[in-house]
Structures are given as structure tokens and as C-alpha cells.
PDB file of all heavy atoms in Angstrom:
ATOM      1  N   LEU A1452      -0.359   3.573  -9.275  1.00  0.00           N
ATOM      2  CA  LEU A1452      -1.340   4.655  -9.198  1.00  0.00           C
ATOM      3  C   LEU A1452      -0.743   5.944  -9.746  1.00  0.00           C
ATOM      4  O   LEU A1452       0.379   6.300  -9.406  1.00  0.00           O
ATOM      5  CB  LEU A1452      -1.773   4.886  -7.744  1.00  0.00           C
ATOM      6  CG  LEU A1452      -2.400   3.710  -7.010  1.00  0.00           C
ATOM      7  CD1 LEU A1452      -2.617   4.066  -5.546  1.00  0.00           C
ATOM      8  CD2 LEU A1452      -3.717   3.303  -7.653  1.00  0.00           C
ATOM      9  N   SER A1453      -1.523   6.638 -10.563  1.00  0.00           N
ATOM     10  CA  SER A1453      -1.036   7.909 -11.106  1.00  0.00           C
ATOM     11  C   SER A1453      -1.449   9.085 -10.229  1.00  0.00           C
ATOM     12  O   SER A1453      -0.809  10.134 -10.251  1.00  0.00           O
ATOM     13  CB  SER A1453      -1.583   8.116 -12.522  1.00  0.00           C
ATOM     14  OG  SER A1453      -3.006   8.130 -12.501  1.00  0.00           O
ATOM     15  N   ASP A1454      -2.502   8.923  -9.444  1.00  0.00           N
ATOM     16  CA  ASP A1454      -3.021  10.033  -8.637  1.00  0.00           C
ATOM     17  C   ASP A1454      -3.223   9.543  -7.206  1.00  0.00           C
ATOM     18  O   ASP A1454      -4.165   8.798  -6.928  1.00  0.00           O
ATOM     19  CB  ASP A1454      -4.342  10.529  -9.233  1.00  0.00           C
ATOM     20  CG  ASP A1454      -4.823  11.816  -8.589  1.00  0.00           C
ATOM     21  OD1 ASP A1454      -4.082  12.387  -7.757  1.00  0.00           O
ATOM     22  OD2 ASP A1454      -5.948  12.255  -8.902  1.00  0.00           O
ATOM     23  N   PHE A1455      -2.336   9.937  -6.306  1.00  0.00           N
ATOM     24  CA  PHE A1455      -2.424   9.487  -4.920  1.00  0.00           C
ATOM     25  C   PHE A1455      -1.689  10.483  -4.035  1.00  0.00           C
ATOM     26  O   PHE A1455      -0.923  11.321  -4.515  1.00  0.00           O
ATOM     27  CB  PHE A1455      -1.806   8.090  -4.749  1.00  0.00           C
ATOM     28  CG  PHE A1455      -0.302   8.096  -4.812  1.00  0.00           C
ATOM     29  CD1 PHE A1455       0.462   8.170  -3.651  1.00  0.00           C
ATOM     30  CD2 PHE A1455       0.358   8.050  -6.033  1.00  0.00           C
ATOM     31  CE1 PHE A1455       1.845   8.198  -3.705  1.00  0.00           C
ATOM     32  CE2 PHE A1455       1.739   8.079  -6.094  1.00  0.00           C
ATOM     33  CZ  PHE A1455       2.486   8.159  -4.925  1.00  0.00           C
ATOM     34  N   PHE A1456      -1.946  10.406  -2.736  1.00  0.00           N
ATOM     35  CA  PHE A1456      -1.110  11.134  -1.789  1.00  0.00           C
ATOM     36  C   PHE A1456      -1.042  10.355  -0.489  1.00  0.00           C
ATOM     37  O   PHE A1456      -1.919   9.554  -0.170  1.00  0.00           O
ATOM     38  CB  PHE A1456      -1.632  12.565  -1.541  1.00  0.00           C
ATOM     39  CG  PHE A1456      -2.867  12.642  -0.680  1.00  0.00           C
ATOM     40  CD1 PHE A1456      -2.764  12.762   0.702  1.00  0.00           C
ATOM     41  CD2 PHE A1456      -4.125  12.609  -1.254  1.00  0.00           C
ATOM     42  CE1 PHE A1456      -3.892  12.843   1.498  1.00  0.00           C
ATOM     43  CE2 PHE A1456      -5.267  12.690  -0.472  1.00  0.00           C
ATOM     44  CZ  PHE A1456      -5.155  12.808   0.908  1.00  0.00           C
ATOM     45  N   VAL A1457       0.046  10.565   0.240  1.00  0.00           N
ATOM     46  CA  VAL A1457       0.232   9.990   1.569  1.00  0.00           C
ATOM     47  C   VAL A1457       0.561  11.146   2.504  1.00  0.00           C
ATOM     48  O   VAL A1457       1.498  11.907   2.246  1.00  0.00           O
ATOM     49  CB  VAL A1457       1.384   8.959   1.588  1.00  0.00           C
ATOM     50  CG1 VAL A1457       1.637   8.467   3.010  1.00  0.00           C
ATOM     51  CG2 VAL A1457       1.091   7.800   0.655  1.00  0.00           C
ATOM     52  N   PHE A1458      -0.231  11.280   3.562  1.00  0.00           N
ATOM     53  CA  PHE A1458       0.036  12.291   4.587  1.00  0.00           C
ATOM     54  C   PHE A1458       0.457  11.534   5.837  1.00  0.00           C
ATOM     55  O   PHE A1458      -0.359  10.878   6.477  1.00  0.00           O
ATOM     56  CB  PHE A1458      -1.224  13.121   4.851  1.00  0.00           C
ATOM     57  CG  PHE A1458      -1.017  14.217   5.859  1.00  0.00           C
ATOM     58  CD1 PHE A1458      -0.319  15.365   5.531  1.00  0.00           C
ATOM     59  CD2 PHE A1458      -1.525  14.102   7.141  1.00  0.00           C
ATOM     60  CE1 PHE A1458      -0.121  16.376   6.468  1.00  0.00           C
ATOM     61  CE2 PHE A1458      -1.338  15.097   8.090  1.00  0.00           C
ATOM     62  CZ  PHE A1458      -0.643  16.242   7.749  1.00  0.00           C
ATOM     63  N   PHE A1459       1.747  11.598   6.156  1.00  0.00           N
ATOM     64  CA  PHE A1459       2.302  10.795   7.259  1.00  0.00           C
ATOM     65  C   PHE A1459       3.181  11.691   8.120  1.00  0.00           C
ATOM     66  O   PHE A1459       4.285  12.059   7.718  1.00  0.00           O
ATOM     67  CB  PHE A1459       3.109   9.624   6.669  1.00  0.00           C
ATOM     68  CG  PHE A1459       3.640   8.679   7.711  1.00  0.00           C
ATOM     69  CD1 PHE A1459       2.800   7.999   8.575  1.00  0.00           C
ATOM     70  CD2 PHE A1459       5.009   8.451   7.820  1.00  0.00           C
ATOM     71  CE1 PHE A1459       3.300   7.120   9.530  1.00  0.00           C
ATOM     72  CE2 PHE A1459       5.516   7.572   8.771  1.00  0.00           C
ATOM     73  CZ  PHE A1459       4.656   6.910   9.626  1.00  0.00           C
ATOM     74  N   LYS A1460       2.681  12.081   9.278  1.00  0.00           N
ATOM     75  CA  LYS A1460       3.405  12.974  10.188  1.00  0.00           C
ATOM     76  C   LYS A1460       3.451  12.316  11.569  1.00  0.00           C
ATOM     77  O   LYS A1460       2.644  12.639  12.439  1.00  0.00           O
ATOM     78  CB  LYS A1460       2.707  14.329  10.289  1.00  0.00           C
ATOM     79  CG  LYS A1460       2.525  15.034   8.964  1.00  0.00           C
ATOM     80  CD  LYS A1460       3.755  15.714   8.475  1.00  0.00           C
ATOM     81  CE  LYS A1460       3.792  17.137   8.921  1.00  0.00           C
ATOM     82  NZ  LYS A1460       4.982  17.813   8.400  1.00  0.00           N
ATOM     83  N   PRO A1461       4.356  11.352  11.781  1.00  0.00           N
ATOM     84  CA  PRO A1461       4.385  10.646  13.068  1.00  0.00           C
ATOM     85  C   PRO A1461       4.740  11.574  14.225  1.00  0.00           C
ATOM     86  O   PRO A1461       5.533  12.504  14.072  1.00  0.00           O
ATOM     87  CB  PRO A1461       5.455   9.574  12.869  1.00  0.00           C
ATOM     88  CG  PRO A1461       6.273  10.036  11.727  1.00  0.00           C
ATOM     89  CD  PRO A1461       5.384  10.871  10.859  1.00  0.00           C
ATOM     90  N   LYS A1462       4.127  11.289  15.376  1.00  0.00           N
ATOM     91  CA  LYS A1462       4.390  12.088  16.580  1.00  0.00           C
ATOM     92  C   LYS A1462       5.828  11.911  17.049  1.00  0.00           C
ATOM     93  O   LYS A1462       6.473  12.851  17.496  1.00  0.00           O
ATOM     94  CB  LYS A1462       3.404  11.630  17.673  1.00  0.00           C
ATOM     95  CG  LYS A1462       3.587  12.343  19.004  1.00  0.00           C
ATOM     96  CD  LYS A1462       2.637  11.767  20.040  1.00  0.00           C
ATOM     97  CE  LYS A1462       2.986  12.353  21.387  1.00  0.00           C
ATOM     98  NZ  LYS A1462       2.891  11.436  22.460  1.00  0.00           N
ATOM     99  N   ASP A1463       6.339  10.673  16.967  1.00  0.00           N
ATOM    100  CA  ASP A1463       7.698  10.353  17.387  1.00  0.00           C
ATOM    101  C   ASP A1463       8.508   9.918  16.173  1.00  0.00           C
ATOM    102  O   ASP A1463       7.963   9.721  15.086  1.00  0.00           O
ATOM    103  CB  ASP A1463       7.685   9.233  18.433  1.00  0.00           C
ATOM    104  CG  ASP A1463       6.853   9.597  19.655  1.00  0.00           C
ATOM    105  OD1 ASP A1463       7.153  10.635  20.269  1.00  0.00           O
ATOM    106  OD2 ASP A1463       5.902   8.864  19.970  1.00  0.00           O
ATOM    107  N   VAL A1464       9.811   9.737  16.354  1.00  0.00           N
ATOM    108  CA  VAL A1464      10.660   9.251  15.265  1.00  0.00           C
ATOM    109  C   VAL A1464      10.173   7.876  14.812  1.00  0.00           C
ATOM    110  O   VAL A1464      10.095   7.576  13.618  1.00  0.00           O
ATOM    111  CB  VAL A1464      12.143   9.178  15.718  1.00  0.00           C
ATOM    112  CG1 VAL A1464      13.002   8.560  14.624  1.00  0.00           C
ATOM    113  CG2 VAL A1464      12.650  10.573  16.061  1.00  0.00           C
ATOM    114  N   LEU A1465       9.824   7.035  15.776  1.00  0.00           N
ATOM    115  CA  LEU A1465       9.228   5.737  15.483  1.00  0.00           C
ATOM    116  C   LEU A1465       7.716   5.874  15.628  1.00  0.00           C
ATOM    117  O   LEU A1465       7.226   6.614  16.467  1.00  0.00           O
ATOM    118  CB  LEU A1465       9.749   4.679  16.453  1.00  0.00           C
ATOM    119  CG  LEU A1465      11.245   4.403  16.383  1.00  0.00           C
ATOM    120  CD1 LEU A1465      11.670   3.488  17.519  1.00  0.00           C
ATOM    121  CD2 LEU A1465      11.618   3.791  15.049  1.00  0.00           C
ATOM    122  N   SER A1466       6.986   5.134  14.806  1.00  0.00           N
ATOM    123  CA  SER A1466       5.535   5.305  14.781  1.00  0.00           C
ATOM    124  C   SER A1466       4.806   3.973  14.880  1.00  0.00           C
ATOM    125  O   SER A1466       5.286   2.954  14.398  1.00  0.00           O
ATOM    126  CB  SER A1466       5.135   6.008  13.484  1.00  0.00           C
ATOM    127  OG  SER A1466       3.736   6.082  13.377  1.00  0.00           O
ATOM    128  N   GLY A1467       3.618   4.016  15.462  1.00  0.00           N
ATOM    129  CA  GLY A1467       2.744   2.852  15.486  1.00  0.00           C
ATOM    130  C   GLY A1467       1.863   2.777  14.254  1.00  0.00           C
ATOM    131  O   GLY A1467       1.171   1.791  14.034  1.00  0.00           O
ATOM    132  N   ASP A1468       1.857   3.834  13.433  1.00  0.00           N
ATOM    133  CA  ASP A1468       1.076   3.846  12.198  1.00  0.00           C
ATOM    134  C   ASP A1468       1.978   3.463  11.027  1.00  0.00           C
ATOM    135  O   ASP A1468       3.164   3.782  11.016  1.00  0.00           O
ATOM    136  CB  ASP A1468       0.505   5.241  11.920  1.00  0.00           C
ATOM    137  CG  ASP A1468      -0.587   5.645  12.902  1.00  0.00           C
ATOM    138  OD1 ASP A1468      -0.797   4.918  13.883  1.00  0.00           O
ATOM    139  OD2 ASP A1468      -1.224   6.688  12.677  1.00  0.00           O
ATOM    140  N   PHE A1469       1.396   2.787  10.032  1.00  0.00           N
ATOM    141  CA  PHE A1469       2.148   2.534   8.805  1.00  0.00           C
ATOM    142  C   PHE A1469       1.170   2.321   7.657  1.00  0.00           C
ATOM    143  O   PHE A1469      -0.021   2.081   7.869  1.00  0.00           O
ATOM    144  CB  PHE A1469       3.096   1.335   8.948  1.00  0.00           C
ATOM    145  CG  PHE A1469       2.417  -0.014   9.062  1.00  0.00           C
ATOM    146  CD1 PHE A1469       2.160  -0.783   7.935  1.00  0.00           C
ATOM    147  CD2 PHE A1469       2.058  -0.524  10.305  1.00  0.00           C
ATOM    148  CE1 PHE A1469       1.548  -2.031   8.047  1.00  0.00           C
ATOM    149  CE2 PHE A1469       1.448  -1.765  10.423  1.00  0.00           C
ATOM    150  CZ  PHE A1469       1.192  -2.518   9.299  1.00  0.00           C
ATOM    151  N   TYR A1470       1.693   2.452   6.439  1.00  0.00           N
ATOM    152  CA  TYR A1470       0.901   2.121   5.253  1.00  0.00           C
ATOM    153  C   TYR A1470       1.681   1.101   4.439  1.00  0.00           C
ATOM    154  O   TYR A1470       2.908   1.034   4.521  1.00  0.00           O
ATOM    155  CB  TYR A1470       0.563   3.373   4.429  1.00  0.00           C
ATOM    156  CG  TYR A1470       1.745   4.212   4.023  1.00  0.00           C
ATOM    157  CD1 TYR A1470       2.330   4.052   2.760  1.00  0.00           C
ATOM    158  CD2 TYR A1470       2.293   5.151   4.888  1.00  0.00           C
ATOM    159  CE1 TYR A1470       3.425   4.813   2.378  1.00  0.00           C
ATOM    160  CE2 TYR A1470       3.386   5.923   4.510  1.00  0.00           C
ATOM    161  CZ  TYR A1470       3.938   5.746   3.259  1.00  0.00           C
ATOM    162  OH  TYR A1470       5.025   6.500   2.890  1.00  0.00           O
ATOM    163  N   TRP A1471       0.953   0.301   3.668  1.00  0.00           N
ATOM    164  CA  TRP A1471       1.555  -0.860   2.988  1.00  0.00           C
ATOM    165  C   TRP A1471       0.835  -1.068   1.668  1.00  0.00           C
ATOM    166  O   TRP A1471      -0.395  -0.913   1.607  1.00  0.00           O
ATOM    167  CB  TRP A1471       1.408  -2.066   3.911  1.00  0.00           C
ATOM    168  CG  TRP A1471       1.816  -3.396   3.368  1.00  0.00           C
ATOM    169  CD1 TRP A1471       3.076  -3.939   3.384  1.00  0.00           C
ATOM    170  CD2 TRP A1471       0.970  -4.384   2.763  1.00  0.00           C
ATOM    171  NE1 TRP A1471       3.042  -5.201   2.838  1.00  0.00           N
ATOM    172  CE2 TRP A1471       1.774  -5.493   2.446  1.00  0.00           C
ATOM    173  CE3 TRP A1471      -0.390  -4.438   2.473  1.00  0.00           C
ATOM    174  CZ2 TRP A1471       1.260  -6.637   1.841  1.00  0.00           C
ATOM    175  CZ3 TRP A1471      -0.906  -5.573   1.866  1.00  0.00           C
ATOM    176  CH2 TRP A1471      -0.077  -6.659   1.560  1.00  0.00           C
ATOM    177  N   MET A1472       1.576  -1.390   0.630  1.00  0.00           N
ATOM    178  CA  MET A1472       0.963  -1.627  -0.678  1.00  0.00           C
ATOM    179  C   MET A1472       1.789  -2.638  -1.448  1.00  0.00           C
ATOM    180  O   MET A1472       3.020  -2.541  -1.491  1.00  0.00           O
ATOM    181  CB  MET A1472       0.887  -0.299  -1.443  1.00  0.00           C
ATOM    182  CG  MET A1472       0.123  -0.368  -2.743  1.00  0.00           C
ATOM    183  SD  MET A1472      -0.047   1.260  -3.514  1.00  0.00           S
ATOM    184  CE  MET A1472      -1.295   2.000  -2.487  1.00  0.00           C
ATOM    185  N   GLU A1473       1.100  -3.620  -2.054  1.00  0.00           N
ATOM    186  CA  GLU A1473       1.785  -4.611  -2.877  1.00  0.00           C
ATOM    187  C   GLU A1473       0.832  -5.118  -3.945  1.00  0.00           C
ATOM    188  O   GLU A1473      -0.386  -5.023  -3.807  1.00  0.00           O
ATOM    189  CB  GLU A1473       2.281  -5.793  -2.022  1.00  0.00           C
ATOM    190  CG  GLU A1473       3.462  -5.442  -1.144  1.00  0.00           C
ATOM    191  CD  GLU A1473       4.215  -6.661  -0.636  1.00  0.00           C
ATOM    192  OE1 GLU A1473       4.133  -7.740  -1.247  1.00  0.00           O
ATOM    193  OE2 GLU A1473       4.905  -6.514   0.373  1.00  0.00           O
ATOM    194  N   GLU A1474       1.412  -5.669  -5.006  1.00  0.00           N
ATOM    195  CA  GLU A1474       0.628  -6.281  -6.077  1.00  0.00           C
ATOM    196  C   GLU A1474       0.699  -7.797  -5.949  1.00  0.00           C
ATOM    197  O   GLU A1474       1.749  -8.349  -5.615  1.00  0.00           O
ATOM    198  CB  GLU A1474       1.195  -5.853  -7.442  1.00  0.00           C
ATOM    199  CG  GLU A1474       0.451  -6.446  -8.613  1.00  0.00           C
ATOM    200  CD  GLU A1474       1.069  -6.052  -9.950  1.00  0.00           C
ATOM    201  OE1 GLU A1474       1.752  -5.008 -10.010  1.00  0.00           O
ATOM    202  OE2 GLU A1474       0.867  -6.801 -10.926  1.00  0.00           O
ATOM    203  N   VAL A1475      -0.428  -8.471  -6.212  1.00  0.00           N
ATOM    204  CA  VAL A1475      -0.453  -9.934  -6.242  1.00  0.00           C
ATOM    205  C   VAL A1475      -1.176 -10.385  -7.507  1.00  0.00           C
ATOM    206  O   VAL A1475      -2.049  -9.690  -8.013  1.00  0.00           O
ATOM    207  CB  VAL A1475      -1.149 -10.555  -4.998  1.00  0.00           C
ATOM    208  CG1 VAL A1475      -0.381 -10.272  -3.742  1.00  0.00           C
ATOM    209  CG2 VAL A1475      -2.579 -10.106  -4.877  1.00  0.00           C
ATOM    210  N   THR A1476      -0.784 -11.552  -7.986  1.00  0.00           N
ATOM    211  CA  THR A1476      -1.464 -12.178  -9.119  1.00  0.00           C
ATOM    212  C   THR A1476      -1.934 -13.550  -8.665  1.00  0.00           C
ATOM    213  O   THR A1476      -1.155 -14.330  -8.109  1.00  0.00           O
ATOM    214  CB  THR A1476      -0.522 -12.319 -10.331  1.00  0.00           C
ATOM    215  OG1 THR A1476      -0.034 -11.024 -10.687  1.00  0.00           O
ATOM    216  CG2 THR A1476      -1.250 -12.923 -11.520  1.00  0.00           C
ATOM    217  N   THR A1477      -3.232 -13.825  -8.890  1.00  0.00           N
ATOM    218  CA  THR A1477      -3.790 -15.102  -8.453  1.00  0.00           C
ATOM    219  C   THR A1477      -3.274 -16.222  -9.345  1.00  0.00           C
ATOM    220  O   THR A1477      -2.876 -15.997 -10.492  1.00  0.00           O
ATOM    221  CB  THR A1477      -5.329 -15.078  -8.494  1.00  0.00           C
ATOM    222  OG1 THR A1477      -5.761 -14.818  -9.842  1.00  0.00           O
ATOM    223  CG2 THR A1477      -5.883 -14.014  -7.563  1.00  0.00           C
ATOM    224  N   SER A1478      -3.302 -17.434  -8.804  1.00  0.00           N
ATOM    225  CA  SER A1478      -2.904 -18.606  -9.587  1.00  0.00           C
ATOM    226  C   SER A1478      -4.142 -19.191 -10.267  1.00  0.00           C
ATOM    227  O   SER A1478      -5.257 -18.760 -10.035  1.00  0.00           O
ATOM    228  CB  SER A1478      -2.231 -19.633  -8.682  1.00  0.00           C
ATOM    229  OG  SER A1478      -3.099 -19.980  -7.620  1.00  0.00           O
ATOM    230  N   GLY A1479      -3.929 -20.174 -11.111  1.00  0.00           N
ATOM    231  CA  GLY A1479      -5.056 -20.827 -11.787  1.00  0.00           C
ATOM    232  C   GLY A1479      -5.112 -20.482 -13.268  1.00  0.00           C
ATOM    233  O   GLY A1479      -4.215 -19.838 -13.819  1.00  0.00           O
ATOM    234  N   LYS A1480      -6.216 -20.927 -13.922  1.00  0.00           N
ATOM    235  CA  LYS A1480      -6.355 -20.750 -15.375  1.00  0.00           C
ATOM    236  C   LYS A1480      -6.522 -19.299 -15.781  1.00  0.00           C
ATOM    237  O   LYS A1480      -6.052 -18.884 -16.830  1.00  0.00           O
ATOM    238  CB  LYS A1480      -7.554 -21.560 -15.881  1.00  0.00           C
ATOM    239  CG  LYS A1480      -7.349 -23.054 -15.842  1.00  0.00           C
ATOM    240  CD  LYS A1480      -8.544 -23.778 -16.416  1.00  0.00           C
ATOM    241  CE  LYS A1480      -8.333 -25.285 -16.383  1.00  0.00           C
ATOM    242  NZ  LYS A1480      -9.514 -26.011 -16.889  1.00  0.00           N
ATOM    243  N   ASN A1481      -7.234 -18.524 -14.980  1.00  0.00           N
ATOM    244  CA  ASN A1481      -7.486 -17.124 -15.298  1.00  0.00           C
ATOM    245  C   ASN A1481      -6.862 -16.219 -14.228  1.00  0.00           C
ATOM    246  O   ASN A1481      -7.565 -15.712 -13.355  1.00  0.00           O
ATOM    247  CB  ASN A1481      -8.994 -16.851 -15.395  1.00  0.00           C
ATOM    248  CG  ASN A1481      -9.648 -17.669 -16.486  1.00  0.00           C
ATOM    249  OD1 ASN A1481      -9.184 -17.664 -17.614  1.00  0.00           O
ATOM    250  ND2 ASN A1481     -10.708 -18.388 -16.138  1.00  0.00           N
ATOM    251  N   PRO A1482      -5.551 -16.036 -14.270  1.00  0.00           N
ATOM    252  CA  PRO A1482      -4.903 -15.216 -13.235  1.00  0.00           C
ATOM    253  C   PRO A1482      -5.404 -13.777 -13.273  1.00  0.00           C
ATOM    254  O   PRO A1482      -5.654 -13.222 -14.348  1.00  0.00           O
ATOM    255  CB  PRO A1482      -3.416 -15.306 -13.577  1.00  0.00           C
ATOM    256  CG  PRO A1482      -3.363 -15.720 -15.004  1.00  0.00           C
ATOM    257  CD  PRO A1482      -4.599 -16.513 -15.273  1.00  0.00           C
ATOM    258  N   GLN A1483      -5.579 -13.199 -12.098  1.00  0.00           N
ATOM    259  CA  GLN A1483      -6.034 -11.817 -11.988  1.00  0.00           C
ATOM    260  C   GLN A1483      -5.048 -11.032 -11.139  1.00  0.00           C
ATOM    261  O   GLN A1483      -4.499 -11.550 -10.168  1.00  0.00           O
ATOM    262  CB  GLN A1483      -7.430 -11.764 -11.354  1.00  0.00           C
ATOM    263  CG  GLN A1483      -8.507 -12.411 -12.208  1.00  0.00           C
ATOM    264  CD  GLN A1483      -9.874 -12.325 -11.555  1.00  0.00           C
ATOM    265  OE1 GLN A1483     -10.040 -12.685 -10.394  1.00  0.00           O
ATOM    266  NE2 GLN A1483     -10.846 -11.830 -12.292  1.00  0.00           N
ATOM    267  N   ARG A1484      -4.840  -9.753 -11.534  1.00  0.00           N
ATOM    268  CA  ARG A1484      -3.919  -8.883 -10.805  1.00  0.00           C
ATOM    269  C   ARG A1484      -4.706  -8.022  -9.822  1.00  0.00           C
ATOM    270  O   ARG A1484      -5.715  -7.412 -10.174  1.00  0.00           O
ATOM    271  CB  ARG A1484      -3.160  -7.972 -11.776  1.00  0.00           C
ATOM    272  CG  ARG A1484      -2.165  -8.686 -12.637  1.00  0.00           C
ATOM    273  CD  ARG A1484      -1.606  -7.767 -13.709  1.00  0.00           C
ATOM    274  NE  ARG A1484      -0.923  -6.617 -13.135  1.00  0.00           N
ATOM    275  CZ  ARG A1484      -1.140  -5.356 -13.525  1.00  0.00           C
ATOM    276  NH1 ARG A1484      -2.017  -5.072 -14.459  1.00  0.00           N
ATOM    277  NH2 ARG A1484      -0.464  -4.359 -12.966  1.00  0.00           N
ATOM    278  N   PHE A1485      -4.210  -7.973  -8.597  1.00  0.00           N
ATOM    279  CA  PHE A1485      -4.829  -7.170  -7.547  1.00  0.00           C
ATOM    280  C   PHE A1485      -3.799  -6.232  -6.944  1.00  0.00           C
ATOM    281  O   PHE A1485      -2.634  -6.603  -6.756  1.00  0.00           O
ATOM    282  CB  PHE A1485      -5.384  -8.054  -6.424  1.00  0.00           C
ATOM    283  CG  PHE A1485      -6.650  -8.792  -6.783  1.00  0.00           C
ATOM    284  CD1 PHE A1485      -6.587 -10.024  -7.404  1.00  0.00           C
ATOM    285  CD2 PHE A1485      -7.894  -8.244  -6.487  1.00  0.00           C
ATOM    286  CE1 PHE A1485      -7.752 -10.708  -7.727  1.00  0.00           C
ATOM    287  CE2 PHE A1485      -9.052  -8.915  -6.798  1.00  0.00           C
ATOM    288  CZ  PHE A1485      -8.991 -10.153  -7.427  1.00  0.00           C
TER     289      PHE A1485
END
């Protein structure tokens, strides 16, 4: 992504909130990137 932001200000040093991002490519004849 060229244009994004993350605002993450946990209350404690350890947090119950998190964000996650990964890329996957499907298998098969016409693979697609997600």
C-alpha cells in the first residue's frame, strides 16, 4: 500500500488489540493475488 496509516496507542505495554496483514496467492490454473 502506498497510502495508509496505523494509529496504535495501547493502554498497557502489552495489548489485546493487534493488526495483521499478509499476501496470499491462490493455487490452480488462474492464480490470484490477495
Side-chain angles (χ1 to χ4, degrees):
L1452 301 173
S1453 60
D1454 189 6
F1455 74 95
F1456 74 90
V1457 175
F1458 182 74
F1459 184 60
K1460 303 281 268 182
K1462 178 184 172 219
D1463 302 303
V1464 175
L1465 297 172
S1466 175
D1468 290 8
F1469 69 92
Y1470 54 96
W1471 174 87
M1472 187 175 285
E1473 288 198 23
E1474 180 182 336
V1475 295
T1476 302
T1477 60
S1478 57
K1480 290 183 180 178
N1481 299 309
Q1483 295 181 309
R1484 290 171 60 229
F1485 286 87

